[in-house]
Amino acid sequence: MKKSLLMALIASSCLTLSVPALSADAPFAIAIHGGAGTIEKSKFTAAQQQAYRAKLAEAVEAGYKILEQGGESLDAITAAIQVLEQSTYFNAGRGAVYTYDGSHELDASIMDGRNRQAGAVAGVKHVESPINLARLVMDNSVHVMLSGQGAEEFAKLQGVPLIENNLFDTEQRYKALLKAKQKLDQAKATAKDYQAAHQALPNNYKMGTVGAVALDKNGNLAAGTSTGGMTAKRFGRIGDSPVIGAGTFAENASCAVSATGHGEYFIRYNVASDICARVKYQGKTIAQAGDEVINGVLKPIGGTGGVIIVDTKGNISLPFNTSGMYRASKSNTQATYVGIFNDE
């Protein structure tokens, strides 16, 4: 009898161990951004504020719905970013800024926290959803980053229709280009060269991105970022958004990050992966790590911008060092939050 009882207990124990650990209340969360910069209340009408907030809410809800139904974090962030890419309010997709020569060059990247697989595209001109193409690069190619004409050749092979570049034309972005070129010409008259003139250009012309990070019910993290780049950029300039580790990073052992800001600083200081490394190796919370990098590392050297972060427990942090950052978040324990300015 004792032997039979022992065998029954062993069998019961083995059965218990084989049951998946995922519970019905497993955490899941999503955060999005629509860019950081000089975003001041005085320059917004009530109607404009409402419109921006509504679009941010639409994007975060699109991603959250997928997570709530048990979908993957990669699908959630892709859906959220595509909502923002289709809006002219943000510097990505249809709202992309102009290059110095009057066209549009778009960048994007995506990363899977399960295995650190990633995909990125840079300098594409005829693809309506760069984040979708970045996802295809990750899923269907042996490479991580494709650029320009090569990226668009790959897009055609994947059945992605190419569009005319003028689909991204908007009056507000064109006016911004004219102002930027005027300021560049004025600065160049004194500085005598493009590099010095561009450094004199106000930071607001050097920023603008959209992105999303998410944790799904299976405990998988993902991050993605999409941008139209920098107003009046030249020479095929590429910022941090398509650079894995700078503008985008995700791994299940730490966190997921999407960045927005003056890309050159985010590349030089490897911002996205630095935040996750502080979480992974120093045991910092995402709030601590994000603050250290955005306010402790970047701000003193003139690096302006912000990040959105989510960790493996569904915690969310949205640090930035500018007057505003378009942002929204939601989790299974947090109601929908939408913010624009730095006092909310």
Side-chain angles (χ1 to χ4, degrees), residues 218-239:
N218 292 311
N220 295 317
L221 292 164
T225 313
S226 181
T227 187
M230 179 184 290
T231 302
K233 63 184 178 181
R234 299 181 72 180
F235 315 121
R237 178 263 185 188
I238 296 169

Side-chain angles (χ1 to χ4, degrees), residues 248-266:
T248 301
F249 193 78
E251 67 167 356
N252 285 0
S254 55
C255 60
V257 179
S258 174
T260 173
H262 191 165
E264 278 67 18
Y265 290 91
F266 284 71

